[in-house]
Structures are given as C-alpha cells and as structure tokens.
Amino acid sequence: MQKTSEQYDIALSKCKDIFLKKMKDYGTAWRNLRPTSLTDQIFIKAQRIKSIEEKGEQKVNDDITGEYIGIINYCIIGLIQIELKDDTRIDLPYDEVAKLYEKYLIQTKQLMLDKNHDYGEAWRDMRVSSLTDLILMKIFRVKQIEDNKGQTIISEGVDANYMDMINYSAFALIKLAYNLV
C-alpha cells in the first residue's frame, strides 16, 4: 500500500503542477462553468480516451495521459465549485484556490486509501480500459443527478462521483507511467 501511496502522490503532484500553472495563465475563468458544462468537459476527455483505446490509433498528438490529468483537474474544479456554489466571484486569489485544490487532493487520497484497503488493490489487476469505462459510468451518473436537480434517493452525490473519477484517473496514470497495463 505504501507503493500505491507514493505512486499516487507522484501522479497527483503532476496534475496539481499543471493546474496551478494553467491558473497563472488563465486565472479562474472556469468559475463561469455551470455544473452541466463541467460534466461535459469531463465527458469529452473520457470519450476521447475510450475512442483512442477502441481505435488503437489517434490523429491528434496529445497522449491520453493528458486527458486523465484533465479529468482529475476538472473533477477538482467541480469539488471547488460545489463548495463555492453561493460565492459569485469569478476571479479567485491564487492562494485560495491552491489551498482548496490541496484540501480536495487530501480528501480524495484518503478515500482512495480507505477503499484500496477494503478492495485489496484490485485496480492493479484491472485494464486501463476498464478504468476508462468506470469513469464514463460515473459521468453518466453525474449527468443523471444533474437532470434530477441534484436529488438522489439512496445514491452518493456528485462530489463522491468526482472523487471516484479522480481516483480511477490516478490509477490509470499510475498504470500507464509504470507500464503495468
């Protein structure tokens, strides 16, 4: 489990680095995204990964690891947006966003460690394509929750689905980076 924790930290530190650099370039323009638009952005990235996996080739040179990183960062944006739903500011201070990013990174990693303990690192025996499918399933769940105006009867909310997508994407990054496919 220590190996997983270390690999997770390496993968997610790259995501955080990219997020913070893009924030310096673009600010917090993502604050304009409605929840449904954010979900669609995540969907586009996951669908591109699935399309490349199924076709076995790609025409745009960006590799799929960048798409998994994008999924992670959009999901963290989603978690931040949920927390700040009543905050109308578009431009957020860099330090505030960096702290929120770290907060959700810590929470999501703890969830991963807890589930990883219970499931016995089953993800290590999964195919990357299965992780992609699980991400897509979570996206469709989020879309349904959004269509239901955020109401669920028995199911987890959007935030839990975002955290699961972050963790599935992290597992895919680990598998791809460490050639464990």
Side-chain angles (χ1 to χ4, degrees):
M1 188 94 87
Q2 182 65 25
K3 179 180 173 185
T4 297
S5 180
E6 291 169 9
Q7 290 172 329
Y8 188 95
D9 288 345
I10 291 167
L12 274 288
S13 70
K14 181 175 181 177
C15 297
K16 182 178 178 183
D17 181 60
I18 289 169
F19 178 88
L20 293 175
K21 284 178 180 172
K22 284 190 175 191
M23 200 176 104
K24 284 188 177 182
D25 288 345
Y26 303 131
T28 54
W30 47 263
R31 288 284 291 151
N32 275 310
L33 290 174
R34 289 175 277 189
T36 54
S37 298
L38 188 56
T39 302
D40 286 343
Q41 286 299 309
I42 298 166
F43 171 74
I44 289 166
K45 297 200 166 295
Q47 187 58 43
R48 178 171 184 262
I49 295 166
K50 183 175 182 174
S51 176
I52 291 168
E53 288 171 346
E54 289 177 346
K55 292 174 185 170
E57 67 176 338
Q58 64 190 70
K59 293 195 175 191
V60 176
N61 230 6
D62 302 335
D63 80 23
I64 63 171
T65 60
E67 303 297 353
Y68 285 115
I69 291 168
I71 291 168
I72 289 168
N73 285 337
Y74 275 120
C75 286
I76 290 182
I77 286 170
L79 293 166
I80 294 170
Q81 293 282 65
I82 290 169
E83 179 170 332
L84 301 179
K85 71 178 180 168
D86 295 325
D87 186 331
T88 59
R89 295 175 297 158
I90 299 298
D91 297 319
L92 300 175
Y94 179 91
D95 290 342
E96 180 181 350
V97 175
K99 285 178 186 170
L100 287 167
Y101 191 103
E102 188 64 25
K103 170 186 171 180
Y104 288 111
L105 201 61
I106 290 167
Q107 286 180 11
T108 303
K109 181 179 179 184
Q110 188 57 54
L111 176 66
M112 180 277 296
L113 291 171
D114 293 346
K115 285 186 174 186
N116 207 30
H117 172 271
D118 290 355
Y119 288 94
E121 297 210 319
W123 66 272
R124 290 204 179 267
D125 295 322
M126 293 174 65
R127 296 172 184 93
V128 173
S129 60
S130 294
L131 295 167
T132 304
D133 289 348
L134 288 169
I135 293 165
L136 282 162
M137 179 187 69
K138 293 288 183 174
I139 292 166
F140 291 125
R141 287 181 178 181
V142 168
K143 284 184 175 202
Q144 187 62 51
I145 294 168
E146 289 169 349
D147 290 348
N148 293 338
K149 308 288 187 245
Q151 299 301 309
T152 59
I153 298 167
I154 194 170
S155 305
E156 298 174 314
V158 171
D159 56 343
N161 284 283
Y162 283 150
M163 288 185 181
D164 285 343
M165 285 188 271
I166 290 168
N167 286 331
Y168 293 143
S169 295
F171 293 155
L173 288 173
I174 292 167
K175 289 179 81 65
L176 292 168
Y178 293 97
N179 214 10
L180 300 171
V181 185

